[in-house]
Amino acid sequence: HKDGRWVDILSRANAIFNENGEAIRVIGTHVDISERKKSEEALNKQNYYLEKAQELGKIGTWELDLVGNKLVWTDENCRIFGVPEGSVVDYKIFLSKVHPDDREYVDSEWKAALKGKPYDIEHKLLIGDEVKWVREKADIKLDDSGKAIGAIGFAQDITVQKQSVEELNRIFELSPDLIGFGNVTKGYYTRVNPAYKIFGRPLDEF
């Protein structure tokens, strides 16, 4: 700009030809798109922040178009499920990543979700030889007749949390000291570890 500012413009032009096919004139337009570029840059920055937040929290997102039969995963969702970023995925690929022990359960829960049941589940994945845990949640989109036409979902890698719980349970079960969870108000245990046997009393007395 003549005042020293830089502006973004969109230029379009078409040539006018004579009867001999020679270009004799060009008609064009220049449009100031500075504000649009600023909006795009702001959106790109927000997308960058969102992507980094997903990476840090190990939370992936996905969107499903049931009418167009199209499933889109974010990069973090691809990382969680062990597929290359930007891969073209579908329900069959998703189900193949679910641990065989949980595959029938996940499939039945998804089919139930399409009929109105809330979709909020935890299950295992089998990525190569690695077993991972994920929590999945989805909101189903319905048309005016109540038919499912799409969904937006989230998947969080909760492997570390599950491993911590398993380690605590192992300590609970193997500890030589009595460990118990109790109802203080009513005065009894709701759960005790095997060390209760050192008192020589049956479990139901605890």
Side-chain angles (χ1 to χ4, degrees), residues 37-50:
K37 292 291 287 186
K38 288 179 182 178
S39 298
E40 290 175 352
E41 289 170 1
L43 181 60
N44 289 337
K45 185 178 290 186
Q46 289 300 317
N47 287 337
Y48 172 79
Y49 291 154
L50 176 60

Side-chain angles (χ1 to χ4, degrees), residues 3-184:
D3 63 10
R5 292 181 295 114
W6 286 92
V7 296
D8 290 287
I9 64 171
L10 174 64
S11 297
R12 292 194 177 97
N14 291 293
I16 306 299
F17 299 91
N18 62 19
E19 62 274 11
N20 298 321
E22 299 169 328
I24 58 173
R25 183 178 302 146
V26 175
I27 298 177
T29 60
H30 298 300
V31 180
D32 186 341
I33 59 170
S34 299
E35 291 303 316
R36 192 185 82 184
K37 292 291 287 186
K38 288 179 182 178
S39 298
E40 290 175 352
E41 289 170 1
L43 181 60
N44 289 337
K45 185 178 290 186
Q46 289 300 317
N47 287 337
Y48 172 79
Y49 291 154
L50 176 60
E51 183 179 338
K52 289 303 177 183
Q54 288 188 348
E55 184 178 340
L56 181 63
K58 294 187 176 181
I59 301 174
T61 57
W62 51 268
E63 186 169 2
L64 173 65
D65 176 3
L66 287 168
V67 178
N69 193 29
K70 184 178 181 182
L71 177 62
V72 178
W73 283 1
T74 60
D75 289 345
E76 185 59 28
N77 213 66
C78 289
R79 285 191 285 269
I80 291 173
F81 283 83
V83 301
E85 296 175 14
S87 296
V88 177
V89 292
D90 56 22
Y91 184 69
K92 183 177 180 181
I93 291 176
F94 156 73
L95 210 56
S96 72
K97 298 297 180 177
V98 176
H99 195 286
D101 293 347
D102 293 345
R103 202 166 288 162
E104 184 177 347
Y105 161 71
V106 172
D107 187 47
S108 64
E109 287 296 304
W110 174 246
K111 289 176 179 176
L114 296 179
K115 296 178 181 179
K117 182 180 179 181
Y119 189 75
D120 189 351
I121 63 175
E122 293 182 2
H123 63 87
K124 298 188 296 294
L125 302 177
L126 184 60
I127 312 300
D129 296 328
E130 180 186 9
V131 176
K132 299 169 70 174
W133 276 92
V134 294
R135 179 188 177 189
E136 287 200 87
K137 187 177 177 64
D139 293 324
I140 308 299
K141 297 179 181 178
L142 306 175
D143 63 13
D144 293 338
S145 67
K147 180 182 177 181
I149 58 174
I152 296 177
F154 308 85
Q156 182 177 22
D157 186 338
I158 58 171
T159 305
V160 173
Q161 295 93 313
K162 282 289 185 179
Q163 289 173 342
S164 297
V165 170
E166 289 174 1
E167 181 62 19
L168 287 173
N169 282 332
R170 191 181 71 83
I171 294 173
F172 180 85
E173 293 294 330
L174 298 179
S175 174
D177 300 316
L178 176 66
I179 303 175
F181 298 94
N183 186 314
V184 178

Side-chain angles (χ1 to χ4, degrees), residues 181-190:
F181 298 94
N183 186 314
V184 178
T185 303
K186 296 184 178 181
Y188 62 82
Y189 286 106
T190 55

